[in-house]
Every structure is written in C-alpha cells, then in structure tokens.
Amino acid sequence: MRSPLKNTLKALGFWAFASMALADAAAPPAPAAPAEHHWRLGVALGYGERTNPLVQSEKIPVLVDLDIAWFGKRFFFDNGDLGFSVLDRPAFTLNAVARVNTDRAFFSKTNTKYINFQYLGAGVTVTPPPTTPTPEPQPFKPPKRDYAIEFGFETLFDGEWGAATLRGFRDVSGTHDGFEVGADYDYRYTRGRFSIAPSVGVEYKSRKLNDYYWGVHAGEASTNIIEYHVDGGFGWHAGLRTNYYVTKHLRAALSVNYERLQNSVAESPLVKDDYVLGFFSGFAWTF
Amino acid sequence: MRTLITGIAASAFLCLALPAFAADPPVKLAVKPLLCVVDKGASSCLMSFDIRWKATQTGEYCLNDSAKPEPVRCWAPAINGAVLQEREVREEFIYWLGAPGGADHLSEVKVSVLRVDSADRRRERRTRHVWDVL
C-alpha cells in the first residue's frame, strides 16, 4: 500500500475514532419524532445555469433537477451518494459515504475549436508577433477526464445555531489518487411560508486531485498548450437558497451559489474563470 | 338515425352540463391560510384563520374543527357567514360545515402542516448535484 493512501486512511480512521469518542460525551437523546417515509422524491422545474470554468466549454443549463433519496435505518442513498450511518448521536451523525467526484461534470460540455495562438501557463495567452507568419489553426479540445469514486466520512452537526458538516474523501477508484477535506455551515431562517438559508464552506483539495482534473499532463501538451501542474489548495463557496411554500408539496425556489477556485487551479491553461457561479429559479414539487 | 343523433346530443348536453352543476356545490367553505410551516425549534404555528362560507339555500349551519368536539360557531338561518379564528396548529385538521349536531360534511377544507426540518440529520445533508436546489 502506498504511503499517501495509508496516511489518508489513517486520518479517516482517526476521524471516525474521534467521532466515536465524542459520542460518549454527548447529551441525552432528543424526544422521538414522527416517523418519516424512507423515500424522498422531488422534482424542480425552472431555469438556471452554472458557469463552466473550463476553456472552450459551455455553461451548464439547469432546467430540471431531480431529488431521489432513500433513507433506511443505517444505509442511505442520496442523489448518487451511498452512505452508512456509523453513529447517530444527539450531538452529531457520522456517516461513511461513497460518492462520485463532481469536478468531472465540467468536462462534459466541451467543444473543439480551431485556435492559432499559444496557451501559456498562469492564465496568460500570447498571440504571435505580426511580423512572424501566422501559424496554421490547430484543432484543440479540452482533454478528457474520468469520473472518480471517492470514499470517506462526513460528520453532520445541527442545532439552534444552524447546521455544519465536516467531511473527508479519498479516491478509491485509482482515477486521481487524491483527497479532499472540507467544512460547510448553513443557517435556515423560516418565517411563515418563506425560508432563506445562507451557506458558506471551505475545502482543501490535494495536489493529485487538482492536477488530474485541471493540470495539463505531459501527454496532452502540444504547440497549443504547455504542460502545467496544479498544486493542492483551499477554495471556498457561499450560497443562498430561498423557498416560498405554496402548498405542502409545492414551493417556489430561488438559489444562487458562488464558488471560488483555488489559485493554482485558476491559473491552469485549462481554466478561463477563477470562479463558478450558478443560479436557479423555478418550482419544486416534493412527492 | 334521428334517435342516434338525439342520443349523441343528449350525451353531449349532459357532459357539458354536469361539470357546471358539480362546480356549484350547495355550500362553499373558504379558509385562509391553509398551510402551517414548522421548522427547527418550533412545534406549532399560531395562525389567524379567515373563514367564510356561502350556501345556495338559507339554513342553519355550524362550522366545525375536526380536532375539537364542539362547533367553532353556529349560525341561525343564514345564507353566508364569516368568522376569524386564532388557533395554534400542531397537526393537520379539517374545518367543515354541517347542520347543527349533524355529522355530514357539507363542505370541508384541510389545513396542512409541513415540517421542513427532520429528526434524521441525513435528510438535511447538502447533496452534490450539479445544481442543488431541492
């Protein structure tokens, strides 16, 4: 077993152990709540977009958003995430989760374009001097990237102060061999039929994860684009979700989200924007 | 042939006329608001209900609350009525209009309760959609 993998697994194990230790010091159990359905099914229809920071790519339109989740006593499926509740205590819930990395989503909407200039590193683009002969336009398409299956732990906390999540995931599919750790906080304020929930979060992504998705690998470098390696680093995001409940099942939803990419990712020749901005406005129906 | 045409015409008339009759019930009850939204830290809503009813025939009617044994209010022979009621709502219930002492619901309206939080923290986790709105 390679040592970075060993270290990551040790860290994840320590996290799980620390959560179990905390469980002993937890407060007494909360009063029983009414039973809920195992399934949670919903659909949102409306219009939204998510910008794509990848060069020669298109914005990702969002017209329909499905919510498909199933929660058993321990196992759960939540929109692609498979989870198992390791511990559920009044103060927190510790889950083991397998998921698909979402960075890959940006590489689905790309185009081949004919370019006659060179991409250089650090986000700089240089056209040839007018005295030199114009090079023949060359086809360039952003490289392909694979989906990665990641496994890790998440700890969920909540209270009158809001809700928070701590998470750590590592690639177990041999795709990027990297890891990600992060923390999120959100607070939902409900008044009458209206609710508003601001959220903030920060994440650290390892060099291997970032470099696999956003680096220009040796075999991909050409006269159009030079080799570039991405470091690990911190990114952050903030969002706002609002809902107006029309009936028990139907609500009007408006959301905006801003994600700031890590510096080293933003400077990649494959990246045109240092942020991802998304919004959605529409109606959501929960079955 | 004439019989067939008459039959088709009668069927068409019935199809058109029936919804009109169905859309005009003998008593119509209207209540606002109809939804109580409960979030973390709250177990009920204190709501002010605006309740109005209208009948096609004058009569004695009582407004009832399915969660309470006694009527909210009864009216002497009347063709319409209105009442404002402050009420704490913890669970779904029905306002219904009927004859005094009767059990038949001449008209009814359901007041729903929506819990937007969950006792199961996993249901509150932020999913990782391309765009997460739900």
Side-chain angles (χ1 to χ4, degrees):
Chain A
M1 190 181 280
R2 286 164 297 176
S3 95
L5 175 59
K6 251 168 102 176
N7 289 340
T8 311
L9 290 176
K10 271 185 198 166
L12 291 174
F14 176 74
W15 184 334
F17 177 76
S19 295
M20 287 179 195
L22 265 174
D24 292 335
E36 293 173 284
H37 296 295
H38 288 303
W39 284 98
R40 187 187 67 209
L41 301 171
V43 59
L45 300 173
Y47 185 76
E49 277 181 0
R50 196 179 183 201
T51 62
N52 193 337
L54 188 65
V55 292
Q56 291 180 202
S57 64
E58 295 169 12
K59 289 175 182 171
I60 301 167
V62 184
L63 305 175
V64 180
D65 187 16
L66 297 176
D67 180 25
I68 303 171
W70 182 89
F71 298 94
K73 191 176 177 187
R74 292 256 184 186
F75 284 98
F76 63 93
F77 170 83
D78 188 3
N79 294 284
D81 293 358
L82 275 174
F84 179 81
S85 296
V86 180
L87 276 175
D88 187 21
R89 294 289 182 267
F92 71 93
T93 301
L94 172 70
N95 298 324
V97 177
R99 68 179 195 183
V100 178
N101 182 285
T102 50
D103 286 43
R104 166 63 179 77
F106 294 116
F107 290 81
S108 294
K109 294 188 75 70
T110 57
N111 298 318
T112 299
K113 281 186 181 169
Y114 285 82
I115 54 175
N116 58 1
F117 52 80
Q118 280 197 317
Y119 280 106
L120 296 181
V124 177
T125 309
V126 175
T127 52
T131 50
T132 59
T134 306
E136 283 295 308
Q138 299 293 315
F140 174 74
K141 184 176 170 66
K144 288 188 175 174
R145 297 290 184 259
D146 291 329
Y147 285 101
I149 307 295
E150 300 174 342
F151 176 80
F153 292 93
E154 65 178 19
T155 310
L156 311 174
F157 308 89
D158 64 1
E160 295 297 318
W161 46 267
T165 305
L166 295 176
R167 61 178 191 276
F169 285 90
R170 196 190 195 294
D171 176 27
V172 290
S173 58
T175 305
H176 59 67
D177 290 328
F179 68 90
E180 176 190 341
V181 291
D184 292 300
Y185 169 77
D186 72 86
Y187 182 85
R188 184 175 59 222
Y189 175 76
T190 303
R191 176 95 180 170
R193 294 182 176 211
F194 182 74
S195 82
I196 183 165
S199 62
V200 289
V202 62
E203 63 271 319
Y204 176 86
K205 291 183 180 179
S206 72
R207 183 186 58 79
K208 282 183 175 176
L209 189 159
N210 279 339
D211 193 50
Y212 173 75
Y213 285 107
W214 302 104
V216 180
H217 308 158
E220 296 163 352
S222 67
T223 52
N224 290 330
I225 192 159
I226 64 161
E227 188 173 340
Y228 179 83
H229 293 286
V230 184
D231 290 329
F234 286 92
W236 59 270
H237 58 268
L240 190 70
R241 293 195 296 176
T242 61
N243 284 298
Y244 180 80
Y245 297 93
V246 180
T247 70
K248 194 172 178 179
H249 297 284
L250 178 69
R251 67 185 194 270
L254 176 68
S255 305
V256 290
N257 196 66
Y258 176 87
E259 181 183 346
R260 182 75 173 191
L261 301 178
Q262 297 149 42
N263 286 340
S264 183
V265 170
E267 289 173 0
S268 166
L270 294 180
V271 173
K272 65 182 178 200
D273 298 321
D274 60 2
Y275 65 89
V276 179
L277 180 65
F279 72 90
F280 180 87
S281 172
F283 287 91
W285 180 273
T286 304
F287 293 94
Chain B
M1 185 66 180
R2 260 174 75 179
T3 312
L4 181 65
I5 291 170
T6 309
I8 292 170
S11 302
F13 174 75
L14 279 174
C15 288
L16 292 171
L18 275 176
F21 286 122
D24 194 17
V27 183
K28 193 176 175 184
L29 178 64
V31 177
K32 286 180 186 174
L34 292 173
L35 183 65
C36 154
V37 180
V38 179
D39 202 350
K40 200 166 291 176
S43 57
S44 64
C45 306
L46 185 59
M47 300 176 78
S48 180
F49 292 103
D50 180 1
I51 305 159
R52 293 165 191 272
W53 63 270
K54 191 176 179 184
T56 51
Q57 288 186 333
T58 302
E60 291 189 20
Y61 297 97
C62 286
L63 176 72
N64 298 276
D65 178 332
S66 64
K68 293 175 180 167
E70 297 300 316
V72 176
R73 182 170 167 183
C74 288
W75 284 265
I79 199 163
N80 58 49
V83 63
L84 291 172
Q85 191 192 27
E86 290 265 331
R87 188 190 192 285
E88 188 179 20
V89 180
R90 288 178 180 274
E91 53 191 16
E92 253 176 32
F93 71 98
I94 291 170
Y95 276 122
W96 61 278
L97 210 63
D104 285 346
H105 296 200
L106 299 174
S107 183
E108 66 176 39
V109 169
K110 183 164 82 177
V111 176
S112 302
V113 176
L114 172 65
R115 289 210 68 93
V116 292
D117 69 329
S118 171
D120 184 349
R121 264 186 213 104
R122 298 173 303 171
R123 292 171 189 263
E124 302 269 352
R125 66 194 291 275
R126 295 297 301 272
T127 49
R128 293 161 50 81
H129 297 174
V130 169
W131 182 247
D132 174 18
V133 295
L134 291 165

